[in-house]
Structures are given as structure tokens and as C-alpha cells.
Amino acid sequence: MTFTLNDLALLLIALAIGIVFGLMMSGRGKYRRAWHDEQAVHRSAVKDRDARLEAAHARIAELERQSTAPIAAGAATTAAGTAHGRDDLSRISGVSQAQEVALNDVGYQRYSQIAALDAEQEATLEARLGLKPGTIAQEDWRGQALALDRDGSKPGLLSRLTGSH
């Protein structure tokens, strides 16, 4: 059997085509596996995210069940003038709503606490609220708080805004 130059050229071309085709087919499976692996990782991440969201929604629902009645306009003050165990400190002349929030933040929530202030506590409170020294004594917050603690007839800021007494 003798091969001519044309036969050898055709065999080399067929060999080259076979090598190229073989390389294309072997790489195809590798990329397909990588794509499937990436999809599996993505599905796992989505499941983890959904589980975290579900847990967060369950926690929110639990906290909503545990909370007291929702706060609505006018619900901040009850007939007795208290909301959630607090007195409406804005009923004291000279106490703004922002100052009431600041008073609540530092622990003053009842008229009796304001009425029991001593001079040192007044000075500390004036500094914290940004008031001039002596403002609390001058506006007689303690006397007003004592009167309001005994008799809650003066309407507060929130009740004036909502139109209820």
C-alpha cells in the first residue's frame, strides 16, 4: 500500500479536524457542569434568602402580637391623660412636645417625678433641654406638675391638636 502526497494531505486534514472537534466536545461538558453548579449555588442562595425573610416576617408578626394597641391620632392621651403609663407632660406650661419627648427619654414620664425634682436635678434637666438656668423654677414646673398630678383638668398639647379633652 502506497500513499500519495494527496492521500497524506487528506489524512492530516482529517486528523486536524478530529482534534479540533474532540477539543470542542470535551470542553462543552466542562462548561455545562460549571453552569449547572452555578445554578445550584443560586438556587441555594435564593432558598437561604427566602428562609431569612420568612423568619423576619414571623418575628415581626410575633412583635406585633405582643405590642399593645396601635397608636392612632388621638390615642396618645386617654381620658385620664396618660398613654402607655406616661403622663402628658406637655400639659405643663412651658413644656413643648419636643421637650416632653426629651423628658421621657431621660426617664421623666409622670407628673409626680417632675414635682419631686430638687434644685440639682432642675439644673441638670435645664442643661439637657437647653433652657436658661432657673427656667424650671421660674415657670413653676414642679407646682404645675403637682397640681396636674392631683387634678388632670387642663387639656394637653396632644388633646388640643386632636380636639379631644
Side-chain angles (χ1 to χ4, degrees):
M1 188 184 257
T2 60
F3 290 104
T4 64
L5 194 56
N6 285 341
D7 293 336
L8 287 175
L10 285 175
L11 282 173
L12 285 175
I13 291 174
L15 180 65
I17 290 174
I19 289 173
V20 169
F21 188 69
L23 288 174
M24 285 180 11
M25 294 306 289
S26 68
R28 182 174 176 207
K30 178 175 70 172
Y31 294 119
R32 180 175 284 169
R33 282 189 302 275
W35 182 71
H36 283 297
D37 292 344
E38 186 176 326
Q39 278 193 329
V41 168
H42 178 71
R43 280 192 299 271
S44 174
V46 168
K47 284 181 184 178
D48 289 345
R49 182 203 61 201
D50 290 344
R52 286 193 317 268
L53 282 173
E54 185 62 35
H57 288 302
R59 178 68 177 142
I60 290 169
E62 177 186 341
L63 290 173
E64 286 175 345
R65 281 191 303 272
Q66 290 176 356
S67 70
T68 58
I71 298 175
T77 58
T78 62
T82 61
H84 305 289
R86 300 179 187 155
D87 289 330
D88 184 5
L89 299 179
S90 67
R91 294 174 67 185
I92 298 172
S93 180
V95 176
S96 68
Q97 189 174 10
Q99 289 172 332
E100 178 184 12
V101 171
L103 286 168
N104 288 336
D105 287 344
V106 296
Y108 293 99
Q109 299 173 350
R110 309 293 285 175
Y111 296 132
S112 58
Q113 292 173 308
I114 301 295
L117 288 173
D118 61 23
E120 183 180 328
Q121 291 170 329
E122 278 184 10
T124 304
L125 202 52
E126 287 168 342
R128 177 163 236 149
L129 296 175
L131 300 172
K132 289 190 274 184
T135 302
I136 293 176
Q138 183 181 2
E139 293 179 354
D140 192 27
W141 286 15
R142 289 189 293 184
Q144 291 181 59
L146 188 60
L148 287 168
D149 194 30
R150 288 191 218 131
D151 171 9
S153 61
K154 180 181 174 188
L157 178 64
L158 293 175
S159 60
R160 280 182 262 153
L161 292 174
T162 60
S164 63
H165 293 307

